[in-house]
């Protein structure tokens, strides 16, 4: 393996991808992904991989390409490697650097998307381009997919491809995407987390209607009061701990290091062993429901007819029924619940040849490490791609991170950045991984 060539290109590609402002505001505004998609297509075309562009709406562009699939032991089951091209918006005035400049400072590449997820896009492109140039093409057929709109639920990207360009994905039996393979440090040991499950998503709108009137008068049917009480109940509720198979494996791994048996009672303490990563992992041992927006009224002395609240709900695999029943109980009478986006959770067994290949590729570069699965609190395009029957999905964008880096805080955060060495490490690991797929 010629790691130097992959190492050198992955950083340059990530910088160039960051410089495309693909901010996704969740509505029809924003620049879209078209320019970044054309850049990715050009990179693939340069090495003889034919890329196809699909637009669900003007500017909302995804890239699909076929790679590999020939040779004496060629397989028919296809592997889907996917990443998204959009990013969440960034307010430049809050950052130390221009979030779309792709600057390298003190060993870090700074910019919106360096963590979520143009880092993995760059790893994938650098490795595929190098292998194509040097004739190291996998005998297993691979689908390369770079999508639009993941940051707004994937409806104009992955979901569009599944519903309207399904032929591009037929025959895929396994998929690898974002938010996994990064390291955290527990009791002095580096532990790499491979995503094997995701919570379901319920973005909700609550609407309370009452009687409009003068703010100086008694009003027993105040929409704001009713809604505020419901939001307060939601915020104060403590969801019970529920351990899914994926988290039982992860916490058992940590329990071995800490000398603690895994139970629902010990799980919160074991989560704290992850330091900064507990912010994310603490959210995957229970359902969660967070109030995120409130809207009501138009003048201080007028009781409005209507008040609304928006909630970000996430439910564990196997616990949607409990989530919905608890939601209705907390909201109470006189408030309507509207689903703005509803996506199912998923969980893939952490076993098989693909998992073994991911583990071996990490341990070849970091022999003293531990590798284990985890359940992700957010959502990825895997939710849509799993609608292709029988698809086993994992998140594997490998990064070896400094012990003192609060990595999970950088997802959608200010001053998002990734260590240059971690990018190079990830490219080497992914190159090894593709040797075995």
């Amino acid at each position: 393996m010629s790691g130097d060539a992959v190492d050198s290109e992955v950083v340059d590609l990530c910088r160039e991808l960051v410089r495309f402002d693909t901010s996704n505001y969740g509505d029809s505004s924003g620049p879209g992904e078209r320019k970044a998609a054309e850049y990715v297509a050009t990179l693939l075309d340069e090495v003889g991989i034919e890329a196809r562009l699909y637009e669900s709406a003007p500017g909302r562009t995804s890239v699909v390409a076929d790679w590999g699939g020939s040779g004496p032991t060629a397989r028919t089951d296809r592997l889907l490697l996917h990443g998204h091209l959009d990013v969440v918006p960034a307010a430049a005035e809050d950052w130390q650097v221009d979030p779309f400049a792709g600057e390298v400072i003190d060993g870090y590449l700074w910019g919106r998307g360096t963590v979520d997820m143009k880092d993995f896009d760059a790893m994938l492109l650098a490795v595929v381009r190098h292998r194509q140039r040097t004739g190291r093409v996998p005998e297993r057929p691979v689908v390369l997919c770079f999508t639009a709109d993941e940051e707004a639920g994937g409806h104009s990207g992955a979901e569009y491809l599944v519903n309207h360009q399904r032929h591009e994905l037929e025959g895929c039996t396994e998929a690898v995407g974002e938010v996994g393979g990064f390291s955290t440090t527990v009791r002095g040991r580096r532990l790499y987390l491979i995503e094997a499950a995701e919570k379901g998503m319920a973005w909700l709108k609550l609407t309370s209607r009452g009687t409009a009137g003068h703010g100086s008068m008694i009003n027993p049917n105040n929409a704001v009061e009713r809604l505020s009480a419901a939001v307060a109940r939601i915020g104060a509720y403590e969801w019970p701990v529920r351990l899914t198979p994926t988290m039982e494996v992860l916490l058992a791994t940590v329990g071995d290091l800490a000398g603690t048996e895994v139970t629902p009672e010990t799980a919160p303490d074991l989560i704290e062993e992850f330091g900064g990563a507990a912010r994310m992992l603490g959210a995957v041992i229970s359902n969660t429901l967070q109030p995120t927006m409130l809207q009501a009224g138009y003048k201080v002395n007028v009781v409005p007819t209507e008040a609304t609240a928006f909630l970000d709900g996430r439910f564990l695999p196997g616990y949607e029924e409990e989530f919905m029943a608890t939601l209705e109980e907390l909201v109470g009478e006189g408030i309507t619940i509207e689903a703005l986006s509803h996506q199912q959770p998923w969980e893939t067994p952490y076993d098989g040849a693909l998992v073994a290949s991911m583990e071996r590729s990490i341990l070849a570069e970091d022999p003293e490490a531990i590798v284990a699965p985890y359940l992700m609190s957010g959502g990825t395009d895997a939710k849509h791609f799993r609608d292709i029957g029988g698809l086993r999905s994992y998140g594997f964008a490998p990064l070896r991170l400094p012990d003192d880096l609060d990595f999970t805080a950088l997802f959608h955060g200010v001053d998002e950045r990734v260590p240059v060495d971690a990018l190079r490490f990830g490219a080497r690991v992914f190159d090894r991984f593709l040797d075995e797929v």
Side-chain angles (χ1 to χ4, degrees), residues 3-15:
D4 291 343
V6 173
D7 278 12
S8 62
E9 188 171 44
V10 67
V11 178
D12 292 338
L13 290 180
C14 194
R15 294 184 73 182

Side-chain angles (χ1 to χ4, degrees), residues 62-129:
S62 299
V63 185
V64 182
D66 296 314
W67 183 51
S70 62
T73 60
R75 295 161 56 175
T76 58
D77 57 324
R78 304 166 83 197
L79 172 66
L80 173 63
L81 303 178
H82 63 93
H84 63 84
L85 296 173
D86 62 323
V87 297
V88 296
E93 62 272 18
D94 295 335
W95 286 56
Q96 298 180 54
V97 301
D98 181 342
F100 298 104
E103 294 187 45
V104 175
I105 303 172
D106 296 331
Y108 282 79
L109 172 55
W110 295 60
R112 179 59 87 213
T114 52
V115 167
D116 186 13
M117 66 163 295
K118 290 177 177 178
D119 56 343
F120 181 62
D121 293 337
M123 288 180 214
L124 183 53
L125 287 165
V127 171
V128 167
R129 279 164 56 84

Side-chain angles (χ1 to χ4, degrees), residues 31-260:
E33 300 86 1
R34 178 80 196 190
K35 291 182 179 179
E38 290 175 343
Y39 174 68
V40 169
T42 298
L43 291 171
L44 294 174
D45 290 341
E46 280 179 355
V47 294
I49 300 173
E50 179 187 356
R52 298 172 291 282
L53 301 182
Y54 291 104
E55 275 199 349
S56 57
R60 310 314 307 275
T61 312
S62 299
V63 185
V64 182
D66 296 314
W67 183 51
S70 62
T73 60
R75 295 161 56 175
T76 58
D77 57 324
R78 304 166 83 197
L79 172 66
L80 173 63
L81 303 178
H82 63 93
H84 63 84
L85 296 173
D86 62 323
V87 297
V88 296
E93 62 272 18
D94 295 335
W95 286 56
Q96 298 180 54
V97 301
D98 181 342
F100 298 104
E103 294 187 45
V104 175
I105 303 172
D106 296 331
Y108 282 79
L109 172 55
W110 295 60
R112 179 59 87 213
T114 52
V115 167
D116 186 13
M117 66 163 295
K118 290 177 177 178
D119 56 343
F120 181 62
D121 293 337
M123 288 180 214
L124 183 53
L125 287 165
V127 171
V128 167
R129 279 164 56 84
H130 181 62
R131 294 180 75 97
Q132 179 74 5
R133 287 193 186 105
T134 56
R136 296 168 57 238
V137 178
E139 295 189 350
R140 182 177 185 180
V142 174
V143 178
L144 305 173
C145 188
F146 301 84
T147 60
D149 197 42
E150 190 275 345
E151 295 293 0
H155 306 296
S156 297
E159 184 178 40
Y160 170 81
L161 292 175
V162 169
N163 291 338
H164 300 283
Q165 307 295 339
R166 197 180 187 91
H167 64 282
E168 292 282 14
L169 305 165
E170 293 292 353
C172 290
T173 59
E174 295 173 314
V176 172
E178 63 172 326
V179 201
F182 61 91
S183 71
T184 184
T185 302
V186 175
R187 299 208 168 208
R189 296 290 300 276
R190 206 157 28 239
L191 174 60
Y192 289 86
L193 303 177
I194 294 176
E195 185 197 21
E198 287 181 9
K199 295 178 85 172
M201 184 178 76
W203 289 347
L204 305 164
K205 179 182 179 181
L206 306 185
T207 303
S208 170
R209 294 187 61 83
T211 303
H214 200 292
S216 68
M217 301 181 187
I218 293 173
N219 189 329
N221 189 24
N222 188 309
V224 176
E225 288 181 0
R226 186 182 302 111
L227 183 74
S228 299
V231 170
R233 288 193 296 272
I234 290 167
Y237 183 72
E238 294 187 13
W239 293 84
V241 172
R242 303 287 188 233
L243 297 181
T244 62
T246 297
M247 289 305 292
E248 285 183 340
V249 173
L250 174 61
L251 293 181
T253 302
V254 177
D256 287 344
L257 295 176
T260 302

Side-chain angles (χ1 to χ4, degrees), residues 248-403:
E248 285 183 340
V249 173
L250 174 61
L251 293 181
T253 302
V254 177
D256 287 344
L257 295 176
T260 302
E261 184 180 353
V262 180
T263 67
E265 292 70 33
T266 62
D269 288 337
L270 289 173
I271 290 291
E272 291 303 314
E273 296 279 353
F274 288 94
R279 176 188 298 103
M280 177 175 64
L281 295 172
V284 295
I285 57 173
S286 68
N287 294 329
T288 56
L289 185 60
Q290 296 273 10
T292 55
M293 293 192 294
L294 295 171
Q295 298 174 354
Y298 51 89
K299 196 170 186 294
V300 68
N301 62 342
V302 178
V303 176
T305 302
E306 184 175 287
T308 58
F310 295 83
L311 310 175
D312 186 342
R314 311 285 173 143
F315 48 92
L316 295 167
Y319 293 94
E320 180 178 5
E321 185 175 334
E322 176 185 70
F323 173 84
M324 296 306 298
T326 304
L327 167 68
E328 291 182 6
E329 183 178 342
L330 292 172
V331 169
E333 300 281 336
I335 297 176
T336 61
I337 304 171
E338 177 187 353
L340 303 178
S341 183
H342 188 99
Q343 298 182 19
Q344 291 299 311
W346 60 267
E347 190 160 23
T348 298
Y350 188 70
D351 57 23
L354 198 72
V355 167
S357 296
M358 288 187 280
E359 290 186 341
R360 281 194 296 267
S361 65
I362 287 176
L363 295 175
E365 293 288 336
D366 194 352
E368 301 303 315
I370 303 170
V371 186
Y374 86 106
L375 192 160
M376 217 262 284
S377 60
T380 72
D381 281 335
K383 282 187 169 59
H384 298 298
F385 289 132
R386 282 178 59 85
D387 286 344
I388 304 164
L391 192 70
R392 292 167 60 98
S393 293
Y394 299 97
F396 184 60
L399 296 169
R400 182 171 59 199
L401 301 169
D403 295 351

